[in-house]
Amino acid sequence: MPGPIAGTIGSYFERAAVGSVSVNITVQSGQVAASGTATFSTVVATNSVTIGGVTFTGSDTPTGAVQFLTGTTDALSAVSLASVINANTTANKLVVASAAGAVVTFTSVVPGPVGNFITLAKSGSPISVSGALLTGGTISAQVVISEGL
């Protein structure tokens, strides 16, 4: 029978005393974030990269929040795309973008297999992507302990 503090922490301990509490503990370690790449090879205006459903379009004179610089070098276009993605309030909740040469790398913000579901696409033949989804998100160890009735 619940005491005077039913519905509070006291009722939890009363239930625990009679064995009606279940405990589930999950420990995960060694999580690796999923990633993918886009590689530029003479990228031009109107070429685009879509990450997590947000499309970023090349422009020789970018003015919008989803436009990146083209018409210079592929390395500068890659830096521009990475910068625009990292500033985008939708895409930056999914990935962090970085550029090295003409390659943009997208790394899931959340480590583990959930990042393997982030979509990646392109339009225009001067751009190639590593695949339709980011890959490599893993959990190397997982322990689950369950106890209770």
Side-chain angles (χ1 to χ4, degrees), residues 14-146:
E14 289 171 358
R15 286 192 318 273
V18 296
S20 63
V21 173
S22 294
V23 175
N24 294 307
I25 300 171
T26 301
V27 177
Q28 298 175 339
S29 67
Q31 294 187 18
V32 175
S35 64
T37 60
T39 303
F40 292 168
S41 178
T42 318
V43 68
V44 297
T46 72
N47 291 157
S48 67
V49 173
T50 303
I51 183 79
V54 182
T55 300
F56 298 90
T57 304
S59 171
D60 291 346
T61 55
T63 57
V66 291
Q67 292 182 323
F68 64 94
L69 178 65
T70 56
T72 60
T73 67
D74 287 328
L76 287 176
S77 293
V79 168
S80 177
L81 175 60
S83 177
V84 170
I85 288 171
N86 291 334
N88 183 277
T89 58
T90 300
N92 69 12
K93 290 179 177 68
L94 300 173
V95 297
V96 172
S98 60
V103 178
V104 181
T105 300
F106 313 100
T107 304
S108 173
V109 170
V110 178
V114 68
N116 296 334
F117 296 98
I118 298 173
T119 57
L120 177 60
K122 58 92 177 182
S123 75
S125 58
I127 302 174
S128 61
V129 295
S130 55
L133 299 169
L134 301 188
T135 61
T138 61
I139 298 174
S140 62
Q142 182 174 5
V143 177
V144 177
I145 301 169
S146 296

